[in-house]
Amino acid sequence: MSTLITIIGMIGAVVLLCGYMMVSARKLSGDGLPYQLLNFGGGIALMINSAYHSAWPSAILNMVWSGVGVITIGRVMAGRAARRPGL
């Protein structure tokens, strides 16, 4: 189980770093859905890893990070729904 949790954590770190690099390189928009999904997924993966290893400050940080991602994803989706013709 420990190996699986380590893999999850490594994937989460790579996902967050890739998202950050893509926004920094202007390949993704910081307020776009793809970036927010990367933030959410990476944050969840790191939260799982941190909680498993009882690294509570990091686990809480990543829980909040993921929560911000959920809120932003909701806003992006609501904005898209509002722009749909006929609604």
Side-chain angles (χ1 to χ4, degrees):
M1 182 65 140
S2 180
T3 301
L4 176 61
I5 297 297
T6 298
I7 292 168
I8 289 170
M10 292 301 293
I11 290 170
V14 168
V15 166
L16 284 177
L17 286 172
C18 284
Y20 179 70
M21 288 187 307
M22 291 174 74
V23 167
S24 295
R26 298 185 181 174
K27 302 290 183 186
L28 282 179
S29 169
D31 59 353
L33 186 59
Y35 177 67
Q36 296 305 325
L37 288 170
L38 290 172
N39 266 332
F40 173 71
I44 288 290
L46 284 174
M47 181 185 65
I48 291 167
N49 180 275
S50 297
Y52 179 83
H53 292 288
S54 299
W56 299 114
S58 181
I60 292 167
L61 168 68
N62 283 294
M63 180 177 65
V64 171
W65 189 292
S66 297
V68 170
V70 166
I71 291 167
T72 307
I73 289 167
R75 287 184 182 158
V76 169
M77 298 303 286
R80 286 183 179 187
R83 289 190 301 271
R84 283 190 192 149
L87 289 179

